[in-house]
Amino acid sequence: MKPFRYQAPSSVDAAVEAVEPMGVPGQGGAFLAGGTTLIDLMKLSVATPPSVTDIKNLSLDGIEEADGEVRVGARVTMAEAASHPIFLDRAPVLSDALWKAASPQLRNVATLGGNILQRTRCPYFRDNVSPCNKRDPGSGCAAIGGINRLLAVLGTSESCIATYAGDFANALILFDTTVETHRAAEGPRQIELEDLHVLPEDHPERETVLADDELITGYRFRLPDWARRSVYVKARDRESYAFALASAAVALDLDGETIREARIGLGGVATVPWRAREAEDFLKGKTVSEETGLQAGRIAFESAQGYEHNAFKIPLGRQVVAKAIFDAARKDVSGSAGQSEGAN
Amino acid sequence: MADDRMTFEATPTMDIETQDKVESAERAAENGNVGAALSRVDGPLKVTGQARYAADFAVPNPLYAHLVISTVGKGRITAIKDEAARKVKGVRAIYSHANKLDSGSAKFFAAGGQAQQSWEPFAEPDVRFYGETVGLVVAETILAAREAAAALSFDYETSDPAAVFGADGVERQDMPDKTITKGDFTSAFEAAPVKIASDYETAPNVHNAMELFATTAHWVGDKLTVYVPSQWVKGFQIGLAEELGIDEANIEIVCPFVGGGFGGKGSLFTWVSLIAAASRELGRPVKLYVTREQGFTTASFRAETRQRVRLGAGEDGRFQALEHAGEELTSRADNYFVNGQEATVRMYQADAIRTELATIHADRQTPGFMRAPAETPYFFGLESAVDEIARELSMDPVELRIKNDTMVDPVDGVPYTSRSLKECFRQGGEAFGWSNYTPEIGSMNEDEWLIGWGVATSTYPTQMSPCTVRIHLDVTGEARLQVASHDLGTGAYTVLTQAVAEELGIEPSQVRVELGDSRLPPGTIAGGSITTASNVSAIMIACERIRNRLGIEKGSDTDLAAAFDRFGQAGIEEYAEWTPPGAKKDAPKTLYNGKVKIVGGPEEDYTAFAFGAIFSEVRINKYTREIRVPRMTGAFAAGRIMNAKTAKSQYLGGMVWGIGHALHEVAEVDPRTGAYMNDNISEYLVPVNADVPNMDAIIVPEVDDKVNPAGVKGIGEIGIVGVAASIANAVHHATGKRLRRIPIRLDDLVDV
Ligand SMILES: Cc1cc2nc3c(=O)[nH]c(=O)nc-3n(C[C@H](O)[C@H](O)[C@H](O)COP(=O)(O)OP(=O)(O)OC[C@H]3O[C@@H](n4cnc5c(N)ncnc54)[C@H](O)[C@@H]3O)c2cc1C
Ligand code: SF4
């Protein structure tokens, strides 16, 4: 690890003043939340920020609902959010996506701000040696033609096929969430979560629209009543503590067996948090059945492209979408779910 | 299975444990050959953090070292750029081939020496594999050492490595002298009315013990103490003396506790002499922690194999011809192989038998031992093939195995010292509920779950080595056992305590056991599952002598005080040597030179193996194709069981690893560079708690009075053997897909 300056300012204004943008993505100072992504990458020398601005003293806490709008602070931990009644009862997909992620130890320190901004697990990005356009722009992409079983099939480019590895964002994206941010000179702004991450295209080093000194302060979203009928299905190599090979966040508005509206988010398969809008449109007015579920899956993966080891994610992803639609349709939403469904 | 998650995620493992305890206590009660389920005597030390592992020993004013490893898979270092690294505050030394340390090489362990590989790291500018140690940074703090190591850069002249099977440039070495033949395989196979011929593949695996590798070297004058996790302190002492060119009497290796070895700490690591030499040169103790990533390449691993099995049977199911051929990957320089066909062809009767072995030399590190090194990969091949032919024969896979059971070694025609395979299948099958098995593919599916059951035979050769021990007993009944053997977390402290207590008629609480120090009388290498049998056999001799000198009888209620009074001393000490049958008389003496003569398994006039049966249930989600193992039963017969509790945890630990071997573990090699692309425990997967909801290991009673005086067979490794095949067979039963390459992952099933 390279030496760095550490600071822990006590206001949002002071934090965004202190963070030292360098104008080059990944080169400037960094905000430190739970540190489970950042410290990890610093130990690998993949991230070498000259300074680290710890946001632990900022009061970006709390999950509240006012006027039908839920507001979540960026420093709320994954564990706290996963067991919060609003997440558990009103939109189980949000709670599900969190408790199926990482491990209890990680969830206890990792924050929702950091979670959304977690970096890819692409091994060539992390090895700090291989050609990697994301880490070292213009150097090439070792993952194409390499070991790429875990990498993306949607939203890829010739420059980068790195998966957005997180779970939570794929669920949060269902509710047209707004990200609240703060910059030094410009002050607060609001960004649609769906616009936060950018496709790799020719510049995979750019992952979000955030400026270097831009701090996420929280999220705002509205939960329709039918968000109770929502699930997160995550296919992975082992039963717990593994990243998604393919996952689907699904919420359904049902009229009997007929789908009034569907929302579908995909994880483990795309370069950014992914909303499968065409599949959502297709489901409108359809009756829930195995065939509709699979057809929605096919539509969701229409533009997918497989590489040496990850082509299996395309049929897998279709089936995961079908299962999530099924599970959501079968979900018992009569009472409140109440309890957390066990340890992960 | 309406709520699958509840079953998989939230099964209270603690309850299963408690239930198991009760069951095994009951079994122990009805069976005189199973020792008391004594809890680990070192348990309190471990759970209160007082057990000191190698890295925990404090030394005065240490320097800290960090390894620098290569980032190319084959080549030559042409320049070292160390300017930035030298500027890091606190850096004391940077070593590489350019200023090589004063340490030499020792003989490769598989060639009769102690070293992990035959060559010395960075003696030359050549790089032989990706992740090879090419430099060493020593600094005042661990942070400075790491920072400087990160700032070091090397220029390489590279060429394409041949790092995997099939790569251009690997070299095949056939080993015809390893071939076993009986009868005429080719014509017997041709004549067999029912037959299968299949190829199987197993993946490279990395030990990833919880305790990271570490080494501390501390010189006082010309005396060197080294704290290093080791499964063979005596061998490390001898090997290190050879490398450093000093008298072995001046070296002490210390590691009273090992946080998991699995074979990965069995041969002398290349960095130990580097650390000792750096410490000698810098005049201060030096401490090294090897990172998790570095542990993937700087230590040994379990190499990938490719196998071919041809099996022919009569219509009645009796095997007529069995051939098992294997190819194993190894490094360019060292010819390491495991040759599990030695064991696989001794499982069942067969008229004609043939084996074949070849190594494939590639640009990778030298492989080494890993839990049941030979049996784990090769029983995947054999036991999958047996399942395949059971299908061809339309026979129940348990019945077929029992039909081909034999009390005579099919290769050598000599008897087994004992063999209770049938009983293992009977008891295991009963506990698992095998009578409810329906053979048709998919016939046991429920809702959205494809369910399959599979079985396999498990085995491990019963091996022993010479062992020496020293035991002291005093008038108050306090005893001390000293032996340079090891407890890898397996329970050796506990079972040796029990053995001494039983032999001397005292309470376990009166026994103190000292292990893991090369100054103690040489014991056993913690490998080959030999620790208990060999140490207990030596303990029995020492204790008998103590009893004889004191004039007391075993098992009788004696008045120790009176006996010591008659003896005329307050204490008594005995040193004893045990030589297993089949070893030369001077074997204990050569033990002092670090040479271990391991006997057992197939011997001239007997064959000694422990046996077991594994039953697995798999559930595969129809949509996600995720493969889970909700239930597994193992039944093992391994002679006298010293301690029902520690034995059971060995069995269960092996079975858990078997799940990983079948479904999770693979070191992903990028063929372009030879690099392991998942060199961390986030991406190199092993089973977690949620992957092992319901498991039981049954101790099948067995008395073996021929195998060794203790009547003990090794149990440390057998638990993993056969598990992968039982799971693959269950996957076939559930889906109809025969998967012959492990790990089996959902990728293999997506198109089912
Ligand atoms: C072994 C392992 C397994 C994991 N498994 C999963 C999994 O299965 N599913 C999953 O979804 N995740 C998984 N994760 C990722 C984990 O969820 C993230 O690391 C975590 O959520 C990041 O949160 P943090 O608070 O620790 O972020 P940090 O590491 O502190 O920060 C992450 C990034 O965000 C920036 N940042 C943090 N907070 C803010 C803010 N408020 N405003 C602007 N920038 C900010 C930091 O500068 C940094 O670049 C796993 C991680 C590990 C190590
Ligand atoms: S996929 Fe992206 S992150 Fe991975 S090596 Fe290629 S450019 Fe780098």
PDB file of all heavy atoms in Angstrom, chain B residues 351-364:
ATOM      1  N   ASP B 351     -10.403 -59.643 -13.008  1.00  0.00           N
ATOM      2  CA  ASP B 351      -9.508 -60.680 -13.534  1.00  0.00           C
ATOM      3  C   ASP B 351      -8.268 -60.076 -14.155  1.00  0.00           C
ATOM      4  O   ASP B 351      -7.169 -60.602 -14.025  1.00  0.00           O
ATOM      5  CB  ASP B 351     -10.240 -61.512 -14.594  1.00  0.00           C
ATOM      6  CG  ASP B 351     -11.567 -62.018 -14.059  1.00  0.00           C
ATOM      7  OD1 ASP B 351     -11.615 -62.307 -12.840  1.00  0.00           O
ATOM      8  OD2 ASP B 351     -12.544 -62.077 -14.821  1.00  0.00           O
ATOM      9  N   ALA B 352      -8.454 -58.975 -14.842  1.00  0.00           N
ATOM     10  CA  ALA B 352      -7.311 -58.362 -15.528  1.00  0.00           C
ATOM     11  C   ALA B 352      -7.248 -56.887 -15.145  1.00  0.00           C
ATOM     12  O   ALA B 352      -8.268 -56.203 -15.102  1.00  0.00           O
ATOM     13  CB  ALA B 352      -7.452 -58.513 -17.033  1.00  0.00           C
ATOM     14  N   ILE B 353      -6.034 -56.448 -14.882  1.00  0.00           N
ATOM     15  CA  ILE B 353      -5.838 -55.084 -14.381  1.00  0.00           C
ATOM     16  C   ILE B 353      -4.650 -54.454 -15.087  1.00  0.00           C
ATOM     17  O   ILE B 353      -3.651 -55.132 -15.374  1.00  0.00           O
ATOM     18  CB  ILE B 353      -5.573 -55.121 -12.850  1.00  0.00           C
ATOM     19  CG1 ILE B 353      -6.863 -55.454 -12.103  1.00  0.00           C
ATOM     20  CG2 ILE B 353      -4.991 -53.800 -12.347  1.00  0.00           C
ATOM     21  CD1 ILE B 353      -6.691 -55.737 -10.637  1.00  0.00           C
ATOM     22  N   ARG B 354      -4.771 -53.172 -15.342  1.00  0.00           N
ATOM     23  CA  ARG B 354      -3.660 -52.478 -15.960  1.00  0.00           C
ATOM     24  C   ARG B 354      -3.696 -51.009 -15.545  1.00  0.00           C
ATOM     25  O   ARG B 354      -4.769 -50.399 -15.484  1.00  0.00           O
ATOM     26  CB  ARG B 354      -3.813 -52.580 -17.482  1.00  0.00           C
ATOM     27  CG  ARG B 354      -2.618 -52.138 -18.221  1.00  0.00           C
ATOM     28  CD  ARG B 354      -2.687 -52.501 -19.697  1.00  0.00           C
ATOM     29  NE  ARG B 354      -1.606 -51.750 -20.305  1.00  0.00           N
ATOM     30  CZ  ARG B 354      -1.695 -50.470 -20.623  1.00  0.00           C
ATOM     31  NH1 ARG B 354      -2.827 -49.832 -20.477  1.00  0.00           N
ATOM     32  NH2 ARG B 354      -0.656 -49.829 -21.119  1.00  0.00           N
ATOM     33  N   THR B 355      -2.534 -50.450 -15.244  1.00  0.00           N
ATOM     34  CA  THR B 355      -2.474 -49.009 -14.971  1.00  0.00           C
ATOM     35  C   THR B 355      -1.392 -48.376 -15.825  1.00  0.00           C
ATOM     36  O   THR B 355      -0.522 -49.066 -16.369  1.00  0.00           O
ATOM     37  CB  THR B 355      -2.142 -48.685 -13.492  1.00  0.00           C
ATOM     38  OG1 THR B 355      -0.758 -48.972 -13.245  1.00  0.00           O
ATOM     39  CG2 THR B 355      -3.006 -49.472 -12.534  1.00  0.00           C
ATOM     40  N   GLU B 356      -1.475 -47.065 -15.901  1.00  0.00           N
ATOM     41  CA  GLU B 356      -0.520 -46.312 -16.700  1.00  0.00           C
ATOM     42  C   GLU B 356      -0.357 -44.957 -16.043  1.00  0.00           C
ATOM     43  O   GLU B 356      -1.325 -44.413 -15.502  1.00  0.00           O
ATOM     44  CB  GLU B 356      -1.136 -46.098 -18.079  1.00  0.00           C
ATOM     45  CG  GLU B 356      -0.157 -46.167 -19.232  1.00  0.00           C
ATOM     46  CD  GLU B 356      -0.927 -46.083 -20.549  1.00  0.00           C
ATOM     47  OE1 GLU B 356      -1.155 -44.954 -21.011  1.00  0.00           O
ATOM     48  OE2 GLU B 356      -1.310 -47.141 -21.072  1.00  0.00           O
ATOM     49  N   LEU B 357       0.846 -44.432 -16.089  1.00  0.00           N
ATOM     50  CA  LEU B 357       1.076 -43.124 -15.481  1.00  0.00           C
ATOM     51  C   LEU B 357       2.037 -42.308 -16.342  1.00  0.00           C
ATOM     52  O   LEU B 357       3.024 -42.830 -16.850  1.00  0.00           O
ATOM     53  CB  LEU B 357       1.681 -43.287 -14.079  1.00  0.00           C
ATOM     54  CG  LEU B 357       2.052 -41.984 -13.358  1.00  0.00           C
ATOM     55  CD1 LEU B 357       0.808 -41.193 -12.987  1.00  0.00           C
ATOM     56  CD2 LEU B 357       2.878 -42.258 -12.109  1.00  0.00           C
ATOM     57  N   ALA B 358       1.717 -41.045 -16.483  1.00  0.00           N
ATOM     58  CA  ALA B 358       2.642 -40.121 -17.147  1.00  0.00           C
ATOM     59  C   ALA B 358       2.549 -38.774 -16.448  1.00  0.00           C
ATOM     60  O   ALA B 358       1.487 -38.407 -15.934  1.00  0.00           O
ATOM     61  CB  ALA B 358       2.286 -39.968 -18.623  1.00  0.00           C
ATOM     62  N   THR B 359       3.653 -38.075 -16.406  1.00  0.00           N
ATOM     63  CA  THR B 359       3.591 -36.693 -15.930  1.00  0.00           C
ATOM     64  C   THR B 359       3.753 -35.768 -17.132  1.00  0.00           C
ATOM     65  O   THR B 359       4.360 -36.132 -18.137  1.00  0.00           O
ATOM     66  CB  THR B 359       4.707 -36.386 -14.910  1.00  0.00           C
ATOM     67  OG1 THR B 359       5.939 -36.885 -15.416  1.00  0.00           O
ATOM     68  CG2 THR B 359       4.411 -37.001 -13.567  1.00  0.00           C
ATOM     69  N   ILE B 360       3.169 -34.594 -16.984  1.00  0.00           N
ATOM     70  CA  ILE B 360       3.267 -33.579 -18.033  1.00  0.00           C
ATOM     71  C   ILE B 360       4.017 -32.403 -17.423  1.00  0.00           C
ATOM     72  O   ILE B 360       3.510 -31.749 -16.506  1.00  0.00           O
ATOM     73  CB  ILE B 360       1.862 -33.137 -18.505  1.00  0.00           C
ATOM     74  CG1 ILE B 360       1.031 -34.344 -18.952  1.00  0.00           C
ATOM     75  CG2 ILE B 360       1.976 -32.072 -19.603  1.00  0.00           C
ATOM     76  CD1 ILE B 360       1.544 -35.083 -20.173  1.00  0.00           C
ATOM     77  N   HIS B 361       5.212 -32.185 -17.901  1.00  0.00           N
ATOM     78  CA  HIS B 361       6.034 -31.099 -17.348  1.00  0.00           C
ATOM     79  C   HIS B 361       5.640 -29.777 -17.993  1.00  0.00           C
ATOM     80  O   HIS B 361       5.653 -29.647 -19.212  1.00  0.00           O
ATOM     81  CB  HIS B 361       7.512 -31.387 -17.589  1.00  0.00           C
ATOM     82  CG  HIS B 361       8.001 -32.565 -16.792  1.00  0.00           C
ATOM     83  ND1 HIS B 361       8.566 -32.425 -15.545  1.00  0.00           N
ATOM     84  CD2 HIS B 361       7.973 -33.896 -17.043  1.00  0.00           C
ATOM     85  CE1 HIS B 361       8.886 -33.627 -15.072  1.00  0.00           C
ATOM     86  NE2 HIS B 361       8.538 -34.540 -15.965  1.00  0.00           N
ATOM     87  N   ALA B 362       5.301 -28.821 -17.145  1.00  0.00           N
ATOM     88  CA  ALA B 362       4.801 -27.542 -17.647  1.00  0.00           C
ATOM     89  C   ALA B 362       5.455 -26.395 -16.885  1.00  0.00           C
ATOM     90  O   ALA B 362       6.151 -26.618 -15.891  1.00  0.00           O
ATOM     91  CB  ALA B 362       3.288 -27.480 -17.490  1.00  0.00           C
ATOM     92  N   ASP B 363       5.213 -25.178 -17.338  1.00  0.00           N
ATOM     93  CA  ASP B 363       5.799 -24.011 -16.676  1.00  0.00           C
ATOM     94  C   ASP B 363       4.917 -23.584 -15.507  1.00  0.00           C
ATOM     95  O   ASP B 363       4.209 -22.579 -15.563  1.00  0.00           O
ATOM     96  CB  ASP B 363       5.975 -22.877 -17.695  1.00  0.00           C
ATOM     97  CG  ASP B 363       6.917 -23.290 -18.807  1.00  0.00           C
ATOM     98  OD1 ASP B 363       8.011 -23.789 -18.488  1.00  0.00           O
ATOM     99  OD2 ASP B 363       6.546 -23.164 -19.991  1.00  0.00           O
ATOM    100  N   ARG B 364       4.963 -24.385 -14.480  1.00  0.00           N
ATOM    101  CA  ARG B 364       4.180 -24.137 -13.267  1.00  0.00           C
ATOM    102  C   ARG B 364       5.047 -24.500 -12.073  1.00  0.00           C
ATOM    103  O   ARG B 364       6.095 -25.118 -12.216  1.00  0.00           O
ATOM    104  CB  ARG B 364       2.917 -25.005 -13.276  1.00  0.00           C
ATOM    105  CG  ARG B 364       1.912 -24.638 -14.364  1.00  0.00           C
ATOM    106  CD  ARG B 364       0.869 -23.659 -13.886  1.00  0.00           C
ATOM    107  NE  ARG B 364       0.013 -24.277 -12.886  1.00  0.00           N
ATOM    108  CZ  ARG B 364      -0.974 -25.125 -13.163  1.00  0.00           C
ATOM    109  NH1 ARG B 364      -1.264 -25.456 -14.411  1.00  0.00           N
ATOM    110  NH2 ARG B 364      -1.704 -25.641 -12.192  1.00  0.00           N
TER     111      ARG B 364
END
